[in-house]
Amino acid sequence: QVQLVESGGGLVQAGGSMRLSCVYSGRPGSTPGMGWFRQAPGKERDFVAAITWSGDNAYYADSVKGRFTISRDNAKNTVYLQMDGLKPEDTAVYYCGAQYYGPAGSYYRSGAYDYWGQGTQVTVSS
């Protein structure tokens, strides 16, 4: 049973920084591609960032490019999202997803992820 557990959310002022973590477990010997998505009230779950299983490639939504950084530590089964220069419009519930089976290049589609965490709230005050 694959499990993903996010942590690190909270309240921060605009311009501040925050780091989210996502620990995945349940399939030893298999390393998934990982992604971060976010969902604001009344809106769809949107792509934020993704990283390949090796960590060699990372992808970002235009809205966060240059401000957010995704990274991973496969020895710890953990993926991180470093968020700098936060804006009020970044306020959302952030979810990490694990992609074991999805086709190559589908990192930006929430439907391509096989497992999700429970989400962590990030609130940016103005």
Side-chain angles (χ1 to χ4, degrees), residues 16-93:
S17 297
M18 184 177 289
R19 189 176 80 158
L20 305 182
S21 300
C22 173
V23 180
Y24 55 92
S25 62
R27 289 192 60 173
S30 182
T31 306
M34 297 292 293
W36 286 97
F37 286 70
R38 65 188 181 187
Q39 189 166 17
K43 296 189 176 181
E44 295 186 349
R45 189 171 296 191
D46 291 331
F47 170 71
V48 175
I51 190 166
T52 54
W53 70 270
S54 64
D56 287 345
N57 292 291
Y59 308 94
Y60 298 93
D62 288 343
S63 58
V64 307
K65 203 172 292 183
R67 300 188 297 123
F68 290 11
T69 303
I70 189 171
S71 62
R72 67 188 302 161
D73 183 342
N74 287 345
K76 297 181 178 179
N77 286 2
T78 302
V79 176
Y80 305 97
L81 185 67
Q82 177 66 41
M83 304 184 293
D84 299 316
L86 282 161
K87 304 175 181 180
E89 50 264 44
D90 294 318
T91 295
V93 177

